[in-house]
Amino acid sequence: MEHTFDVLIIGGGVHGASLAFHLARRGVRVAVLERKFVAAGATGRSSGLVRMHYDLEAEARLAWVSFGYFRDWARRVGGEPDCGFTRTGFLQIVEREHADTLRANVHMHQRIGIPSLLVTADDVRRLAPSFATDDFDLAAYEPESGYADPPSTAQSLMNAARARGAVLIQECPVTGIRVQGGRVAGVTTPRGEFSAPVVVNAAGAWAGEVCRMVGLDLPLSTWRHETMFAHRPPDILTHPTVIDFPNSMYFRPETGGLTLVGLEDGNLLGLPPADDEYVRPDFVERAGERICRRIPAMVHGGVHSAQVGYDGITPDQHPALGPLGPEGFWLDCGFSGTGFKIAPAVGLCLSEWILDGAPQTVDITVFSPARFLEGRTLRGEHPYENIWR
Ligand SMILES: Cc1cc2nc3c(=O)[nH]c(=O)nc-3n(C[C@H](O)[C@H](O)[C@H](O)COP(=O)(O)OP(=O)(O)OC[C@H]3O[C@@H](n4cnc5c(N)ncnc54)[C@H](O)[C@@H]3O)c2cc1C
């Protein structure tokens, strides 16, 4: 097996796969070293929402550039399997006190070119007749948005990268990073040493651990998130994808007459990520009660299944992207529970930064992890509260 590359990527989730794809397209000899298998981490448990509504312009831009990939996957990425993008329309519902913030964010999205408009509670009732709409006045509506299939997206990006010469090595945990003369030289694994002048940390919930391998102690924590799939009663054929701030919840339709529900509150921080956990005893009850508030007829539905996933999270709930520590060490992590939908663009912009010295497509330097060492945090231009509580 070849052991010398231009770039080594630690982690085969959607971000490692996206970066590998964009680097391989540029002729870079890249290897992805994955502890288990592609999408074994957050990507394999992700709810897959694809929407552009962010309160930070740089993130909205990343989501919008990424959306171009999801919509046109066969031409832009081409690899099998398909990313499974399903257009459902997306609603961002906010509490009455956030109506002005919502307006400002929709204006920002429209300025960027994102299809988004303000709709009233009456409009929402017409778009989604099964919804209760008495607790808000305004929502944002993105008619083009929806959801995709995260493991297939990652696998597709990885396959497309491999078709361009990238190497994927699974069951290969990185246990150390070699640094010589202040710059990275490669990594150590139970399957031998691998050498490269650039090493990228795309290790998701394990990213803090990987940073410590080069002596970086960053506030990269873990976020544990539970989701439930519920059967819809047959008279609710489908509904849009929704982020529902008044109920601290998001939900979307799934094939087979199911609805996926996640809660924004009650997510645990700072636990060591596990691969084989069950949801906590009260989760299904809480999620069921919450979805019935927005869709009262769901009281006639039933639980299908529930699962747990872990993502890396930063103190400001925005990603950590860019170089830090020894020369050649890069961060591509800290996606804080919202990183799936921006993966195609993050990989593109990071490949530009690594190869050209600066990101070209979207200025992702605002996400530089140096902000944590300088005591700075990122906030949206028209901020809501932190999404995860
Ligand atoms: C339950 C859940 C629901 C979510 N829903 C959404 C959503 O609807 N929309 C959205 O945009 N985002 C969502 N997210 C967030 C999104 O899924 C993540 O931000 C994204 O998948 C992170 O991808 P990643 O590649 O950075 O990390 P991961 O997918 O976690 O990949 C990291 C990989 O690194 C590997 N690894 C770790 N340590 C090592 C090591 N030492 N050596 C080698 N490999 C290593 C792991 O095995 C893992 O495969 C959700 C996340 C969760 C958990």
Side-chain angles (χ1 to χ4, degrees):
M1 192 196 305
E2 194 190 347
H3 282 230
T4 302
F5 295 89
D6 299 324
V7 178
L8 296 172
I9 298 173
I10 304 172
V14 71
H15 281 281
S18 175
L19 181 61
F21 167 68
H22 289 289
L23 288 172
R25 278 180 63 230
R26 303 268 309 260
V28 174
R29 289 177 314 132
V30 54
V32 178
L33 307 175
E34 164 53 47
R35 185 181 62 104
K36 289 198 149 188
F37 51 87
V38 171
T43 303
R45 306 289 170 93
S46 181
S47 305
L49 268 65
V50 173
R51 45 93 187 176
M52 279 71 80
H53 196 97
Y54 275 95
D55 62 9
L56 181 69
E57 180 166 340
E59 257 168 331
R61 285 185 183 277
L62 286 171
W64 179 224
V65 171
S66 296
F67 181 74
Y69 284 83
F70 287 115
R71 188 176 45 192
D72 197 10
W73 197 260
R75 196 177 62 79
R76 302 283 293 272
V77 179
E80 289 288 327
D82 185 66
C83 70
F85 177 68
T86 305
R87 180 183 166 200
T88 62
F90 166 78
L91 283 165
Q92 172 79 54
I93 297 176
V94 299
E95 299 90 339
R96 292 196 164 93
E97 65 265 29
H98 284 143
D100 285 344
T101 311
L102 181 85
R103 271 194 202 92
N105 283 320
V106 168
H107 288 149
M108 179 261 282
H109 300 149
Q110 291 174 343
R111 180 166 51 73
I112 294 173
I114 294 169
S116 180
L117 61 153
L118 289 166
V119 292
T120 64
D122 280 347
D123 297 326
V124 171
R125 206 170 309 120
R126 282 185 280 270
L127 284 165
S130 60
F131 285 13
T133 55
D134 51 357
D135 59 337
F136 66 95
D137 294 329
L138 269 186
Y141 181 54
E142 296 177 4
E144 302 296 327
S145 298
Y147 67 92
D149 173 348
S152 299
T153 300
Q155 193 66 61
S156 183
L157 286 162
M158 196 69 87
N159 288 347
R162 293 174 74 195
R164 289 160 180 79
V167 173
L168 166 67
I169 306 166
Q170 301 182 96
E171 302 291 336
C172 185
V174 170
T175 52
I177 299 178
R178 286 179 289 117
V179 178
Q180 285 163 5
R183 58 169 311 140
V184 297
V187 305
T188 307
T189 80
R191 299 178 65 169
E193 302 220 322
F194 294 82
S195 300
V198 174
V199 173
V200 182
N201 177 356
W206 297 262
E209 196 178 296
V210 170
C211 278
R212 283 190 287 280
M213 294 179 190
V214 294
L216 278 176
D217 196 10
L218 292 183
L220 286 169
S221 188
T222 63
W223 169 83
R224 182 187 186 277
H225 184 59
E226 299 163 320
T227 53
M228 173 183 78
F229 290 87
H231 292 286
R232 284 193 302 276
D235 49 324
I236 307 177
L237 286 183
T238 190
H239 53 74
T241 294
V242 179
I243 293 182
D244 183 342
F245 278 175
N247 290 313
S248 294
M249 165 180 70
Y250 68 84
F251 58 95
R252 68 159 173 86
E254 174 57 84
T255 49
L258 300 178
T259 290
L260 185 164
V261 184
L263 302 184
E264 289 163 1
D265 57 343
N267 299 283
L268 300 175
L269 298 179
L271 298 177
D275 297 317
D276 54 356
E277 277 185 336
Y278 293 105
V279 296
R280 283 168 295 167
D282 65 340
F283 171 70
V284 163
E285 202 176 315
R286 289 172 63 230
E289 186 269 328
R290 219 66 78 79
I291 190 68
C292 288
R293 285 192 212 163
R294 183 60 69 208
I295 311 183
M298 282 297 280
V299 72
H300 304 298
V303 179
H304 171 276
S305 53
Q307 62 173 16
V308 181
Y310 282 85
D311 199 3
I313 191 166
T314 68
D316 57 17
Q317 303 195 358
H318 297 290
L321 304 173
L324 197 70
E327 205 177 322
F329 186 69
W330 291 73
L331 276 78
D332 183 5
C333 53
F335 289 100
S336 304
T338 66
F340 168 69
K341 69 187 75 60
I342 58 174
V346 168
L348 173 63
C349 297
L350 209 54
S351 72
E352 294 167 346
W353 198 350
I354 293 170
L355 299 179
D356 308 325
Q360 313 292 329
T361 306
V362 177
D363 182 6
I364 55 167
T365 58
V366 293
F367 298 107
S368 168
R371 72 182 186 276
F372 302 121
L373 302 181
E374 294 157 5
R376 284 186 295 117
T377 50
L378 265 181
R379 283 197 87 200
E381 291 81 5
H382 303 283
Y384 302 114
E385 287 150 24
N386 276 349
I387 189 163
W388 309 116
R389 294 180 291 280

